[in-house]
């Protein structure tokens, strides 16, 4: 019995929309998951997630295991209750953050240092599962090896081998029947290795499948064939999750290939620097040209920021160093992305996804 059931409700070509059912609730796909790295999306709270209409929020295992500690989160009843969030949660394995720290990796696991105090820590596939079972998210990810791109073939090959071996160990260690476990496909931009990794991960058998190691230095034209090669071997009745990707062009292209869910820090990172996502492309609201502009960030956006605040006001807040500015543009960017996902779901149902894809790429490609 799988902890996640996926029911496809419509498709338009390879693009599909549906509902993923977890032990505690459901989420509609395609979906975007805001990233709450340390238990909160930067400058936002659970009240904001609810108001924005987010259905599932991501937490970061690496950061949460270091501060406040997985045992502490467990005492509060798990990540959702700890954050005051009634929606669904997903925790990544922490592998991406660990591998960005140049750790010591061997066949058994990985040794790394804390970004907070420099202390040494050891992570194994079994340890990642145990930690995430304490964190208590509705979905947890296996520990994988995420090589940077470009990397030599032998580095990518070793990542594929270790990811497959670690996935089998994670599956054997996983014990919480109320918590889904997703496997992860690696393989760089090599289509053959992507296909192989997908087949081997599916053979182990998971509740859903993440596609990792993309958007880490390669171009979109390199990413999409590798993504398609992986998806071709993933089952139709499980969610497909493209990890760490959130720019509008990649979102619409990946949905067109059959991806169901995404996460990215781009929305809030851009927001903190005064860049808004709009139907006309990126808008840098700190520019002097907007000092007297009484229009919203995006006239087509239905978010609370666009309904209430002008470009001129937001620019003023940035100019005087008011932290409210960072919060408001971050809220807009997440809301705008969630609206894009809603538009994609509607277009798939209406059979007009190709038109939407063309319109989005005309602005964002």
């Amino acid at each position: 019995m799988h902890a996640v059931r996926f029911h496809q409700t419509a498709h338009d070509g390879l693009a599909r929309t549906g509902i993923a059912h977890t032990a505690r609730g459901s989420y509609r796909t395609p979906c975007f998951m805001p990233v709450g790295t340390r238990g909160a999306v930067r400058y936002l709270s659970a009240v904001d997630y609810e108001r924005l209409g987010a259905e599932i929020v991501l937490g970061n295992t690496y950061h949460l295991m270091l501060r406040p500690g997985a045992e502490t989160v467990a005492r509060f009843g798990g990540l959702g209750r700890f954050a005051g969030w009634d929606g669904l949660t997903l925790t990544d394995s922490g592998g991406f953050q660990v591998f960005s720290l140049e750790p010591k990796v061997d066949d058994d696991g990985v040794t790394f240092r804390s970004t907070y105090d420099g202390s040494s820590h050891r992570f194994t596939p079994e340890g990642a599962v145990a930690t995430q079972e304490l964190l208590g998210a509705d979905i947890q990810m296996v520990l994988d090896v995420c090589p940077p791109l470009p990397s030599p073939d032998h580095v990518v090959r070793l990542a594929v081998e270790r990811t497959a071996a670690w996935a089998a160990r994670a599956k054997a260690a996983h014990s919480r029947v109320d918590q889904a476990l997703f496997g992860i496909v690696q393989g760089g931009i090599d289509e053959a290795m992507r296909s192989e990794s997908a087949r081997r991960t599916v053979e182990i058998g998971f509740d859903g499948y993440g596609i990792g190691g993309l958007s880490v230095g390669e171009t979109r034209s390199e990413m999409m064939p590798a993504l398609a090669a992986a998806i071709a071997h993933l089952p139709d009745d499980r969610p497909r999750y493209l990890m760490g990707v959130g720019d509008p062009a990649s979102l619409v292209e990946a949905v067109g290939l059959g991806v169901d869910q995404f996460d990215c820090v781009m929305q809030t990172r851009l927001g903190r620097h005064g860049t808004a996502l709009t139907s006309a492309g990126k808008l840098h609201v700190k520019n002097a040209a907007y000092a007297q502009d009484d229009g919203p960030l995006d006239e087509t956006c239905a978010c609370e920021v666009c309904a209430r605040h002008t470009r001129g006001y937001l620019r003023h807040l940035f100019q005087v160093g008011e932290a409210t500015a960072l919060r408001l543009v971050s809220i807009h960017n997440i809301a705008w992305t969630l609206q894009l996902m809603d538009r994609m779901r509607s277009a798939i149902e209406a059979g007009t996804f190709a038109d939407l894809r063309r319109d989005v790429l005309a602005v964002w490609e």
Side-chain angles (χ1 to χ4, degrees), residues 296-323:
L297 290 172
D298 186 348
E299 292 182 353
T300 71
C301 179
C303 83
E304 61 193 55
V305 178
C306 289
R308 184 179 292 262
H309 300 300
T310 65
R311 295 172 178 179
Y313 174 67
L314 294 168
R315 180 183 184 274
H316 156 71
L317 295 182
F318 276 106
Q319 289 299 106
V320 298
E322 173 53 63

PDB file of all heavy atoms in Angstrom, residues 296-323:
ATOM      1  N   PRO A 296       0.116  48.815 -10.015  1.00  0.00           N
ATOM      2  CA  PRO A 296       0.559  47.641  -9.246  1.00  0.00           C
ATOM      3  C   PRO A 296       1.765  46.994  -9.904  1.00  0.00           C
ATOM      4  O   PRO A 296       2.127  47.327 -11.051  1.00  0.00           O
ATOM      5  CB  PRO A 296      -0.656  46.721  -9.301  1.00  0.00           C
ATOM      6  CG  PRO A 296      -1.302  47.046 -10.619  1.00  0.00           C
ATOM      7  CD  PRO A 296      -1.093  48.522 -10.818  1.00  0.00           C
ATOM      8  N   LEU A 297       2.376  46.048  -9.207  1.00  0.00           N
ATOM      9  CA  LEU A 297       3.486  45.311  -9.793  1.00  0.00           C
ATOM     10  C   LEU A 297       3.060  44.652 -11.100  1.00  0.00           C
ATOM     11  O   LEU A 297       3.803  44.651 -12.075  1.00  0.00           O
ATOM     12  CB  LEU A 297       3.999  44.241  -8.814  1.00  0.00           C
ATOM     13  CG  LEU A 297       4.733  44.761  -7.585  1.00  0.00           C
ATOM     14  CD1 LEU A 297       5.016  43.613  -6.608  1.00  0.00           C
ATOM     15  CD2 LEU A 297       6.030  45.464  -7.970  1.00  0.00           C
ATOM     16  N   ASP A 298       1.852  44.092 -11.135  1.00  0.00           N
ATOM     17  CA  ASP A 298       1.342  43.413 -12.325  1.00  0.00           C
ATOM     18  C   ASP A 298      -0.177  43.601 -12.354  1.00  0.00           C
ATOM     19  O   ASP A 298      -0.889  43.133 -11.466  1.00  0.00           O
ATOM     20  CB  ASP A 298       1.682  41.923 -12.281  1.00  0.00           C
ATOM     21  CG  ASP A 298       1.317  41.179 -13.556  1.00  0.00           C
ATOM     22  OD1 ASP A 298       0.588  41.749 -14.395  1.00  0.00           O
ATOM     23  OD2 ASP A 298       1.754  40.027 -13.707  1.00  0.00           O
ATOM     24  N   GLU A 299      -0.656  44.289 -13.381  1.00  0.00           N
ATOM     25  CA  GLU A 299      -2.090  44.562 -13.474  1.00  0.00           C
ATOM     26  C   GLU A 299      -2.927  43.294 -13.635  1.00  0.00           C
ATOM     27  O   GLU A 299      -4.123  43.293 -13.355  1.00  0.00           O
ATOM     28  CB  GLU A 299      -2.370  45.516 -14.643  1.00  0.00           C
ATOM     29  CG  GLU A 299      -1.834  46.923 -14.414  1.00  0.00           C
ATOM     30  CD  GLU A 299      -2.170  47.855 -15.557  1.00  0.00           C
ATOM     31  OE1 GLU A 299      -2.711  47.365 -16.583  1.00  0.00           O
ATOM     32  OE2 GLU A 299      -1.898  49.073 -15.431  1.00  0.00           O
ATOM     33  N   THR A 300      -2.302  42.203 -14.071  1.00  0.00           N
ATOM     34  CA  THR A 300      -3.051  40.953 -14.262  1.00  0.00           C
ATOM     35  C   THR A 300      -3.039  40.066 -13.013  1.00  0.00           C
ATOM     36  O   THR A 300      -3.680  39.016 -13.010  1.00  0.00           O
ATOM     37  CB  THR A 300      -2.471  40.143 -15.439  1.00  0.00           C
ATOM     38  OG1 THR A 300      -1.190  39.603 -15.067  1.00  0.00           O
ATOM     39  CG2 THR A 300      -2.304  41.011 -16.676  1.00  0.00           C
ATOM     40  N   CYS A 301      -2.300  40.481 -11.976  1.00  0.00           N
ATOM     41  CA  CYS A 301      -2.131  39.645 -10.789  1.00  0.00           C
ATOM     42  C   CYS A 301      -3.241  39.921  -9.781  1.00  0.00           C
ATOM     43  O   CYS A 301      -3.588  41.066  -9.501  1.00  0.00           O
ATOM     44  CB  CYS A 301      -0.769  39.910 -10.150  1.00  0.00           C
ATOM     45  SG  CYS A 301      -0.462  38.949  -8.652  1.00  0.00           S
ATOM     46  N   ALA A 302      -3.777  38.855  -9.200  1.00  0.00           N
ATOM     47  CA  ALA A 302      -4.881  38.967  -8.243  1.00  0.00           C
ATOM     48  C   ALA A 302      -4.404  38.952  -6.795  1.00  0.00           C
ATOM     49  O   ALA A 302      -5.224  38.840  -5.883  1.00  0.00           O
ATOM     50  CB  ALA A 302      -5.866  37.822  -8.467  1.00  0.00           C
ATOM     51  N   CYS A 303      -3.105  39.095  -6.548  1.00  0.00           N
ATOM     52  CA  CYS A 303      -2.608  38.975  -5.182  1.00  0.00           C
ATOM     53  C   CYS A 303      -2.926  40.219  -4.359  1.00  0.00           C
ATOM     54  O   CYS A 303      -3.216  41.289  -4.888  1.00  0.00           O
ATOM     55  CB  CYS A 303      -1.107  38.677  -5.155  1.00  0.00           C
ATOM     56  SG  CYS A 303      -0.032  40.112  -5.328  1.00  0.00           S
ATOM     57  N   GLU A 304      -2.813  40.082  -3.040  1.00  0.00           N
ATOM     58  CA  GLU A 304      -3.147  41.171  -2.126  1.00  0.00           C
ATOM     59  C   GLU A 304      -2.191  42.350  -2.256  1.00  0.00           C
ATOM     60  O   GLU A 304      -2.575  43.498  -2.012  1.00  0.00           O
ATOM     61  CB  GLU A 304      -3.121  40.649  -0.688  1.00  0.00           C
ATOM     62  CG  GLU A 304      -1.767  40.104  -0.254  1.00  0.00           C
ATOM     63  CD  GLU A 304      -1.813  39.313   1.041  1.00  0.00           C
ATOM     64  OE1 GLU A 304      -2.616  38.354   1.116  1.00  0.00           O
ATOM     65  OE2 GLU A 304      -1.065  39.658   1.967  1.00  0.00           O
ATOM     66  N   VAL A 305      -0.950  42.086  -2.653  1.00  0.00           N
ATOM     67  CA  VAL A 305       0.021  43.172  -2.811  1.00  0.00           C
ATOM     68  C   VAL A 305      -0.358  44.034  -4.011  1.00  0.00           C
ATOM     69  O   VAL A 305      -0.359  45.270  -3.927  1.00  0.00           O
ATOM     70  CB  VAL A 305       1.446  42.594  -2.966  1.00  0.00           C
ATOM     71  CG1 VAL A 305       2.460  43.710  -3.190  1.00  0.00           C
ATOM     72  CG2 VAL A 305       1.811  41.779  -1.728  1.00  0.00           C
ATOM     73  N   CYS A 306      -0.698  43.405  -5.107  1.00  0.00           N
ATOM     74  CA  CYS A 306      -1.091  44.153  -6.300  1.00  0.00           C
ATOM     75  C   CYS A 306      -2.425  44.873  -6.100  1.00  0.00           C
ATOM     76  O   CYS A 306      -2.670  45.927  -6.690  1.00  0.00           O
ATOM     77  CB  CYS A 306      -1.155  43.230  -7.512  1.00  0.00           C
ATOM     78  SG  CYS A 306       0.478  42.695  -8.074  1.00  0.00           S
ATOM     79  N   ALA A 307      -3.288  44.318  -5.267  1.00  0.00           N
ATOM     80  CA  ALA A 307      -4.580  44.946  -5.007  1.00  0.00           C
ATOM     81  C   ALA A 307      -4.451  46.198  -4.149  1.00  0.00           C
ATOM     82  O   ALA A 307      -5.294  47.098  -4.227  1.00  0.00           O
ATOM     83  CB  ALA A 307      -5.509  43.953  -4.315  1.00  0.00           C
ATOM     84  N   ARG A 308      -3.370  46.307  -3.378  1.00  0.00           N
ATOM     85  CA  ARG A 308      -3.288  47.369  -2.372  1.00  0.00           C
ATOM     86  C   ARG A 308      -2.150  48.355  -2.596  1.00  0.00           C
ATOM     87  O   ARG A 308      -2.285  49.548  -2.276  1.00  0.00           O
ATOM     88  CB  ARG A 308      -3.143  46.726  -0.986  1.00  0.00           C
ATOM     89  CG  ARG A 308      -3.149  47.693   0.175  1.00  0.00           C
ATOM     90  CD  ARG A 308      -3.020  46.937   1.498  1.00  0.00           C
ATOM     91  NE  ARG A 308      -4.206  46.149   1.773  1.00  0.00           N
ATOM     92  CZ  ARG A 308      -5.195  46.556   2.570  1.00  0.00           C
ATOM     93  NH1 ARG A 308      -5.146  47.743   3.137  1.00  0.00           N
ATOM     94  NH2 ARG A 308      -6.230  45.765   2.789  1.00  0.00           N
ATOM     95  N   HIS A 309      -1.010  47.882  -3.116  1.00  0.00           N
ATOM     96  CA  HIS A 309       0.195  48.712  -3.103  1.00  0.00           C
ATOM     97  C   HIS A 309       0.681  49.075  -4.506  1.00  0.00           C
ATOM     98  O   HIS A 309       0.570  48.279  -5.442  1.00  0.00           O
ATOM     99  CB  HIS A 309       1.320  48.004  -2.350  1.00  0.00           C
ATOM    100  CG  HIS A 309       0.988  47.706  -0.921  1.00  0.00           C
ATOM    101  ND1 HIS A 309       0.677  48.689  -0.003  1.00  0.00           N
ATOM    102  CD2 HIS A 309       0.894  46.522  -0.248  1.00  0.00           C
ATOM    103  CE1 HIS A 309       0.421  48.138   1.170  1.00  0.00           C
ATOM    104  NE2 HIS A 309       0.547  46.825   1.043  1.00  0.00           N
ATOM    105  N   THR A 310       1.261  50.255  -4.625  1.00  0.00           N
ATOM    106  CA  THR A 310       1.771  50.739  -5.907  1.00  0.00           C
ATOM    107  C   THR A 310       3.261  50.445  -6.044  1.00  0.00           C
ATOM    108  O   THR A 310       3.969  50.214  -5.053  1.00  0.00           O
ATOM    109  CB  THR A 310       1.555  52.245  -6.040  1.00  0.00           C
ATOM    110  OG1 THR A 310       2.355  52.927  -5.046  1.00  0.00           O
ATOM    111  CG2 THR A 310       0.094  52.634  -5.865  1.00  0.00           C
ATOM    112  N   ARG A 311       3.730  50.504  -7.277  1.00  0.00           N
ATOM    113  CA  ARG A 311       5.167  50.366  -7.532  1.00  0.00           C
ATOM    114  C   ARG A 311       5.935  51.473  -6.824  1.00  0.00           C
ATOM    115  O   ARG A 311       7.014  51.246  -6.255  1.00  0.00           O
ATOM    116  CB  ARG A 311       5.434  50.424  -9.035  1.00  0.00           C
ATOM    117  CG  ARG A 311       4.827  49.268  -9.821  1.00  0.00           C
ATOM    118  CD  ARG A 311       4.958  49.500 -11.320  1.00  0.00           C
ATOM    119  NE  ARG A 311       4.414  48.370 -12.095  1.00  0.00           N
ATOM    120  CZ  ARG A 311       4.388  48.331 -13.419  1.00  0.00           C
ATOM    121  NH1 ARG A 311       4.880  49.361 -14.128  1.00  0.00           N
ATOM    122  NH2 ARG A 311       3.887  47.283 -14.044  1.00  0.00           N
ATOM    123  N   GLY A 312       5.383  52.700  -6.866  1.00  0.00           N
ATOM    124  CA  GLY A 312       6.052  53.829  -6.219  1.00  0.00           C
ATOM    125  C   GLY A 312       6.222  53.623  -4.723  1.00  0.00           C
ATOM    126  O   GLY A 312       7.277  53.957  -4.154  1.00  0.00           O
ATOM    127  N   TYR A 313       5.192  53.082  -4.070  1.00  0.00           N
ATOM    128  CA  TYR A 313       5.278  52.830  -2.633  1.00  0.00           C
ATOM    129  C   TYR A 313       6.309  51.748  -2.336  1.00  0.00           C
ATOM    130  O   TYR A 313       7.135  51.891  -1.402  1.00  0.00           O
ATOM    131  CB  TYR A 313       3.904  52.409  -2.110  1.00  0.00           C
ATOM    132  CG  TYR A 313       3.905  51.983  -0.664  1.00  0.00           C
ATOM    133  CD1 TYR A 313       4.170  52.892   0.359  1.00  0.00           C
ATOM    134  CD2 TYR A 313       3.650  50.653  -0.316  1.00  0.00           C
ATOM    135  CE1 TYR A 313       4.167  52.501   1.693  1.00  0.00           C
ATOM    136  CE2 TYR A 313       3.653  50.249   1.010  1.00  0.00           C
ATOM    137  CZ  TYR A 313       3.907  51.169   2.015  1.00  0.00           C
ATOM    138  OH  TYR A 313       3.911  50.771   3.320  1.00  0.00           O
ATOM    139  N   LEU A 314       6.292  50.677  -3.109  1.00  0.00           N
ATOM    140  CA  LEU A 314       7.242  49.592  -2.871  1.00  0.00           C
ATOM    141  C   LEU A 314       8.671  50.054  -3.096  1.00  0.00           C
ATOM    142  O   LEU A 314       9.583  49.705  -2.334  1.00  0.00           O
ATOM    143  CB  LEU A 314       6.904  48.398  -3.772  1.00  0.00           C
ATOM    144  CG  LEU A 314       5.568  47.712  -3.455  1.00  0.00           C
ATOM    145  CD1 LEU A 314       5.194  46.740  -4.563  1.00  0.00           C
ATOM    146  CD2 LEU A 314       5.632  46.985  -2.113  1.00  0.00           C
ATOM    147  N   ARG A 315       8.872  50.882  -4.138  1.00  0.00           N
ATOM    148  CA  ARG A 315      10.215  51.420  -4.362  1.00  0.00           C
ATOM    149  C   ARG A 315      10.659  52.254  -3.172  1.00  0.00           C
ATOM    150  O   ARG A 315      11.809  52.176  -2.712  1.00  0.00           O
ATOM    151  CB  ARG A 315      10.269  52.263  -5.631  1.00  0.00           C
ATOM    152  CG  ARG A 315      11.671  52.835  -5.888  1.00  0.00           C
ATOM    153  CD  ARG A 315      11.742  53.736  -7.091  1.00  0.00           C
ATOM    154  NE  ARG A 315      13.126  54.148  -7.313  1.00  0.00           N
ATOM    155  CZ  ARG A 315      13.701  55.205  -6.720  1.00  0.00           C
ATOM    156  NH1 ARG A 315      12.996  55.942  -5.872  1.00  0.00           N
ATOM    157  NH2 ARG A 315      14.960  55.508  -6.966  1.00  0.00           N
ATOM    158  N   HIS A 316       9.750  53.074  -2.654  1.00  0.00           N
ATOM    159  CA  HIS A 316      10.059  53.893  -1.478  1.00  0.00           C
ATOM    160  C   HIS A 316      10.509  53.021  -0.309  1.00  0.00           C
ATOM    161  O   HIS A 316      11.502  53.341   0.371  1.00  0.00           O
ATOM    162  CB  HIS A 316       8.829  54.715  -1.087  1.00  0.00           C
ATOM    163  CG  HIS A 316       8.816  55.126   0.355  1.00  0.00           C
ATOM    164  ND1 HIS A 316       9.679  56.076   0.862  1.00  0.00           N
ATOM    165  CD2 HIS A 316       8.066  54.692   1.411  1.00  0.00           C
ATOM    166  CE1 HIS A 316       9.465  56.218   2.163  1.00  0.00           C
ATOM    167  NE2 HIS A 316       8.485  55.391   2.516  1.00  0.00           N
ATOM    168  N   LEU A 317       9.810  51.922  -0.053  1.00  0.00           N
ATOM    169  CA  LEU A 317      10.177  51.050   1.057  1.00  0.00           C
ATOM    170  C   LEU A 317      11.578  50.493   0.891  1.00  0.00           C
ATOM    171  O   LEU A 317      12.345  50.395   1.856  1.00  0.00           O
ATOM    172  CB  LEU A 317       9.165  49.905   1.184  1.00  0.00           C
ATOM    173  CG  LEU A 317       7.730  50.282   1.570  1.00  0.00           C
ATOM    174  CD1 LEU A 317       6.871  49.023   1.691  1.00  0.00           C
ATOM    175  CD2 LEU A 317       7.690  51.083   2.868  1.00  0.00           C
ATOM    176  N   PHE A 318      11.931  50.095  -0.334  1.00  0.00           N
ATOM    177  CA  PHE A 318      13.294  49.619  -0.579  1.00  0.00           C
ATOM    178  C   PHE A 318      14.307  50.740  -0.377  1.00  0.00           C
ATOM    179  O   PHE A 318      15.386  50.520   0.190  1.00  0.00           O
ATOM    180  CB  PHE A 318      13.417  49.054  -1.994  1.00  0.00           C
ATOM    181  CG  PHE A 318      12.986  47.616  -2.122  1.00  0.00           C
ATOM    182  CD1 PHE A 318      11.792  47.283  -2.736  1.00  0.00           C
ATOM    183  CD2 PHE A 318      13.784  46.601  -1.626  1.00  0.00           C
ATOM    184  CE1 PHE A 318      11.395  45.963  -2.852  1.00  0.00           C
ATOM    185  CE2 PHE A 318      13.398  45.272  -1.734  1.00  0.00           C
ATOM    186  CZ  PHE A 318      12.191  44.952  -2.344  1.00  0.00           C
ATOM    187  N   GLN A 319      13.969  51.942  -0.828  1.00  0.00           N
ATOM    188  CA  GLN A 319      14.908  53.066  -0.733  1.00  0.00           C
ATOM    189  C   GLN A 319      15.233  53.412   0.716  1.00  0.00           C
ATOM    190  O   GLN A 319      16.354  53.833   1.025  1.00  0.00           O
ATOM    191  CB  GLN A 319      14.328  54.296  -1.439  1.00  0.00           C
ATOM    192  CG  GLN A 319      14.288  54.190  -2.952  1.00  0.00           C
ATOM    193  CD  GLN A 319      15.679  54.024  -3.557  1.00  0.00           C
ATOM    194  OE1 GLN A 319      16.047  52.947  -4.002  1.00  0.00           O
ATOM    195  NE2 GLN A 319      16.453  55.089  -3.560  1.00  0.00           N
ATOM    196  N   VAL A 320      14.263  53.247   1.621  1.00  0.00           N
ATOM    197  CA  VAL A 320      14.503  53.606   3.020  1.00  0.00           C
ATOM    198  C   VAL A 320      14.888  52.398   3.867  1.00  0.00           C
ATOM    199  O   VAL A 320      15.014  52.507   5.091  1.00  0.00           O
ATOM    200  CB  VAL A 320      13.262  54.318   3.631  1.00  0.00           C
ATOM    201  CG1 VAL A 320      12.989  55.621   2.888  1.00  0.00           C
ATOM    202  CG2 VAL A 320      12.034  53.414   3.629  1.00  0.00           C
ATOM    203  N   GLY A 321      15.084  51.247   3.227  1.00  0.00           N
ATOM    204  CA  GLY A 321      15.530  50.064   3.944  1.00  0.00           C
ATOM    205  C   GLY A 321      14.478  49.434   4.822  1.00  0.00           C
ATOM    206  O   GLY A 321      14.805  48.782   5.825  1.00  0.00           O
ATOM    207  N   GLU A 322      13.207  49.584   4.458  1.00  0.00           N
ATOM    208  CA  GLU A 322      12.110  49.019   5.227  1.00  0.00           C
ATOM    209  C   GLU A 322      11.928  47.549   4.854  1.00  0.00           C
ATOM    210  O   GLU A 322      11.666  47.212   3.691  1.00  0.00           O
ATOM    211  CB  GLU A 322      10.826  49.801   4.953  1.00  0.00           C
ATOM    212  CG  GLU A 322       9.577  49.225   5.561  1.00  0.00           C
ATOM    213  CD  GLU A 322       9.701  48.975   7.046  1.00  0.00           C
ATOM    214  OE1 GLU A 322       9.898  49.965   7.793  1.00  0.00           O
ATOM    215  OE2 GLU A 322       9.602  47.795   7.446  1.00  0.00           O
ATOM    216  N   ALA A 323      12.034  46.652   5.846  1.00  0.00           N
ATOM    217  CA  ALA A 323      11.962  45.212   5.590  1.00  0.00           C
ATOM    218  C   ALA A 323      10.605  44.788   5.043  1.00  0.00           C
ATOM    219  O   ALA A 323      10.497  43.729   4.411  1.00  0.00           O
ATOM    220  CB  ALA A 323      12.268  44.438   6.863  1.00  0.00           C
TER     221      ALA A 323
END
